[in-house]
Amino acid sequence: MASPRGPRSARKVSGVSYVGPDFDPPQPRRGRRSRALTVAAAALVPGALLGWVVYEAVGGGTGSGNAAARPSGALSSTEPTDGTTSDDKPPGPTPTTDSTSAPAASGSGSLKGKVVVIDPGHNPNNFRHTSEINRKVNIGTNWKECDTTGTSTNDGYAEAEFTLDVAHRMRTLLEKQGATVKFTQDGDRPWGPCVDERAEIGNKAHADAVVSLHADGAGAGQRGFHVILPGKVNAGAANTGPIVAPSRNLGERIAGSFLRVTGSAPSNYLGNGTGLVTRKDLGGLNLSTVPKVFIECGNMRDSKDAAQLTNGAWRQKAAQGISEGIVDFLRG
């Protein structure tokens, strides 16, 4: 989710893709336990050692996934299985390894009446509109750039292309469950939207859940996914108090199902092995009035993670893992 270096957009800070200096330590789990399987639940318990144990349990992040039976009503996919996050390349060509087989889903109609907003991080055309995306918007705690261009793999596969691809796959899966799915953007506008507008789209939709899709741009050797949760903020237009708890619930369920379905390990550089990070500096979270999380699906700048992120079958698993977490959250 990080932005390219130089005058075009803000610089990457602390090895994460979305600009911001403040990181809060992961908070202890609260509330009732989810129905996720043991391996998924274990992945959310703080401690780097336990994160490594989970990593080994799923086969070292080789993408084997699906080692345990899915919970009742879980989404399913007919696509085969396979197996990085942000700096300074403009969007490049989409890899040809993509798979387009249509996924199937069980429990069709079970989410009727539910609204899910998917926020594909960045816009493929942002790099052509640097003046627009560099203008500052109010995120409650301070002012930040409207958006960034995102990152890319070393071979030029853009984060913005990745997020749209996963978003389309998620929409197919969730609509088969009966949910109403809305996007913040679908590559159908010249740039943006800005981070404040992205939050507003979810708010105006009265979304039951919002997920912002990203891929990180950390250093080589830094691998794995992490889910970003909103911290408690009450400043200016931002008041996250009412959404902190439900957003954590949503994030925990997504992290657990993402690990189980993709076989990817939690981040080895953020979150102390939990796959969860709390932040107070992201406008998309600060300005949300509905449950919302970000997910960094991997590090585009690490060759092993990049091999997964550029693989269509793995992206299908990523979409399935995120979607199953959403379904689990919405079913309570």
Side-chain angles (χ1 to χ4, degrees), residues 5 7 58-59 74 112-113 124-125 133 224 226 275 279 288:
R5 302 182 188 276
V58 297
K112 185 176 182 180
N125 299 309
I133 67 170
H226 63 277
R279 290 180 64 171
S288 182

Side-chain angles (χ1 to χ4, degrees), residues 30-169:
R30 297 191 296 270
R32 59 183 182 178
R33 295 182 180 273
S34 71
R35 294 169 294 172
L37 300 175
T38 300
V39 64
L44 302 177
V45 179
L49 177 59
L50 187 52
W52 175 250
V53 171
V54 173
Y55 180 73
E56 291 296 309
V58 297
T62 60
S64 56
N66 295 329
R70 292 188 178 88
S72 175
L75 298 164
S76 60
S77 171
T78 59
E79 195 154 2
T81 59
D82 279 301
T84 97
T85 97
S86 298
D87 253 72
D88 40 24
K89 284 195 176 184
T94 302
T96 57
T97 55
D98 198 357
S99 175
T100 57
S101 59
S106 60
S108 181
S110 63
L111 297 185
K112 185 176 182 180
K114 299 294 186 181
V115 176
V116 177
V117 171
I118 302 174
D119 177 29
H122 315 291
N123 181 314
N125 299 309
N126 274 357
F127 77 101
R128 296 189 177 95
H129 298 272
T130 54
S131 61
E132 290 91 344
I133 67 170
N134 281 330
R135 73 178 180 84
K136 300 294 181 69
V137 297
N138 192 324
I139 65 166
T141 54
N142 54 37
W143 293 74
K144 292 185 68 172
E145 287 75 11
C146 157
D147 199 3
T148 66
T149 60
T151 187
S152 68
T153 66
N154 293 333
D155 291 332
Y157 179 49
E159 178 185 4
E161 299 295 334
F162 169 81
T163 62
L164 275 176
D165 181 88
V166 174
H168 291 155
R169 295 168 188 269

Side-chain angles (χ1 to χ4, degrees), residues 1-14:
M1 163 169 89
S3 62
R5 302 182 188 276
R8 294 189 303 174
S9 59
R11 290 180 180 272
K12 175 166 63 72
V13 178
S14 301

Side-chain angles (χ1 to χ4, degrees), residues 2 58 69 116 121-122 165 180 237 247 251-253 272 297 316 319 323 329:
V58 297
V116 177
H122 315 291
D165 181 88
T180 297
S247 296
E252 288 180 345
R253 293 173 189 250
N272 296 323
C297 296
Q316 182 66 30
S323 297
F329 169 75

Side-chain angles (χ1 to χ4, degrees), residues 3 10 17-18 22 32 47 54 61 63 82 94 131 133 149 176 181 185 212 220-221 245 259 273 281 299 323 331:
S3 62
S17 65
Y18 220 88
D22 299 328
R32 59 183 182 178
V54 173
D82 279 301
T94 302
S131 61
I133 67 170
T149 60
K176 285 180 178 289
V181 178
Q185 61 93 14
S212 188
L259 180 149
D281 64 314
N299 178 10
S323 297
R331 289 176 176 171

Side-chain angles (χ1 to χ4, degrees), residues 154-204:
N154 293 333
D155 291 332
Y157 179 49
E159 178 185 4
E161 299 295 334
F162 169 81
T163 62
L164 275 176
D165 181 88
V166 174
H168 291 155
R169 295 168 188 269
M170 288 177 59
R171 179 168 61 188
T172 298
L173 291 167
L174 292 168
E175 286 182 343
K176 285 180 178 289
Q177 294 284 315
T180 297
V181 178
K182 299 183 179 182
F183 283 10
T184 57
Q185 61 93 14
D186 197 5
D188 52 354
R189 49 189 293 167
W191 56 274
C194 297
V195 294
D196 55 344
E197 185 183 350
R198 288 172 184 268
E200 185 179 13
I201 290 170
N203 297 343
K204 286 185 174 180

Side-chain angles (χ1 to χ4, degrees), residues 207 271 320:
Q320 181 180 327

